[in-house]
């Protein structure tokens, strides 16, 4: 397990990455963060929207079709992470 400061607040992931695909990356992250992984919001993007429905990708809270609309991405981040902290605090 890791401390909250070491745990990412969100993972935004393209499933078709070079070298390591998105499913392999998330398996690696899952092993690295053990029990904390289930609490990390995951947003996946794919040109093939059906790819996001494959077994092993059910953890994704949001599945976006590429090309990703930035407004959709922004809404998803706000929904799962909340607004950024105020600059005044």
């Amino acid at each position: 397990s890791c401390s909250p400061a070491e745990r990412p607040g969100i993972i935004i992931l393209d499933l078709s990455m070079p070298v390591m695909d998105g499913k392999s990356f998330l398996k690696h992250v899952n092993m690295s963060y053990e029990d904390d992984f289930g609490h990390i919001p995951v947003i996946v993007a794919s040109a093939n929207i059906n790819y996001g429905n494959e077994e092993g990708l059910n953890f994704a809270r949001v599945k976006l079709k590429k090309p990703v609309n930035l407004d959709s991405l922004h809404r998803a981040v706000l929904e799962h992470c909340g607004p950024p902290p105020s600059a005044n605090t």
Side-chain angles (χ1 to χ4, degrees), residues 11-72:
I11 296 173
I12 301 171
L13 178 66
D14 186 332
L15 294 179
S16 299
M17 299 185 303
V19 182
M20 180 185 289
D21 69 27
K23 287 171 72 173
S24 298
F25 171 81
L26 287 167
K27 285 180 188 177
H28 174 75
V29 170
N30 188 22
M31 289 187 296
S32 299
Y33 291 102
E34 300 170 356
D35 295 334
D36 294 326
F37 182 70
H39 302 289
I40 302 170
V42 176
I43 297 174
V44 297
S46 176
N48 181 352
I49 201 67
N50 293 326
Y51 186 44
N53 294 323
E54 282 188 23
E55 183 179 337
L57 294 175
N58 56 346
F59 52 79
R61 295 193 188 173
V62 178
K63 298 167 186 160
L64 300 173
K65 183 169 175 61
K66 293 190 326 187
V68 173
N69 175 290
L70 291 180
D71 288 333
S72 297

Side-chain angles (χ1 to χ4, degrees), residues 9-10 41 43 61 73-86:
I10 191 167
I43 297 174
R61 295 193 188 173
L73 177 60
H74 185 247
R75 279 192 302 275
V77 169
L78 288 177
E79 179 181 341
H80 294 287
C81 292
S86 172

